[in-house]
Amino acid sequence: MTDCVFCKIISKEIPAEVLYENDKVISVLDINPIHLGHALILPKQHCNDFLDLPDQTYHSLLQAARIVTSALLQSLKIEGYNLFSNNGIIAGQSVFHFHLHITPRYREDNIRFVLNLKKYPDGDLKRYGTMIRKYIKSPAF
Ligand code: AMP
């Protein structure tokens, strides 16, 4: 994609701090990190979001996430990390080339996902389960 910033990183049109790379994925440091060392894992083939990810890339993506996470743990001596992905504008996605974030966490770093947790009204846990299961399909691969 010509106007995709991550495609430009992958094609080396714009510079990035590369942590890891193979034929399917690349990992770079996020330029606006939540904490220093915040890494991104990107598939090399352009895809907008999680559901758009090519089947043959899932494994490489998660494998790269493990390799980079392990390096973060050892190099930065962190005790924990968040692994997440924003998908869709409403979920906070700002670059529409699928990516995983891996961000270091520190004790008392005051970063909070502000959640207003709900309870299922009577019968709704089952109702939601039934509603969603109707659309569960076996993978196409
Ligand atoms: P998201 O908002 O989940 O789509 O995440 C996009 C991330 O890409 C943000 O955290 C940005 O800071 C990061 N980002 C944008 N441009 C670059 C770039 N040129 N190099 C590294 N990270 C970038």
Side-chain angles (χ1 to χ4, degrees), residues 6 11 13 18-20 22 26-27 41-42 50 53-54 66 68-69 73 75 83 87 99 101 118 122 127 137 140:
F6 288 170
S11 65
E13 269 175 76
V18 177
L19 299 176
Y20 173 75
N22 66 29
I26 185 168
S27 174
I41 315 283
L42 327 171
F50 177 63
L53 191 65
R66 284 179 72 163
V68 171
T69 301
L73 287 173
S75 58
L83 179 68
N87 289 265
H99 51 283
H101 294 258
K118 300 175 178 57
D122 274 356
R127 195 168 72 77
K137 300 189 182 93

Side-chain angles (χ1 to χ4, degrees), residues 5 7 9 21 31 54 60 74-75 84 88 91-92 94 99-100 102-103 110-113 115 125 127 129 141:
V5 66
C7 285
I9 286 176
E21 181 168 14
I31 41 162
S60 302
Q74 292 174 72
S75 58
F84 66 94
S94 63
H99 51 283
L100 293 175
I102 308 166
T103 186
N110 257 336
I111 293 168
R112 306 226 183 293
F113 293 99
L115 300 176
L125 187 70
R127 195 168 72 77
F141 43 89

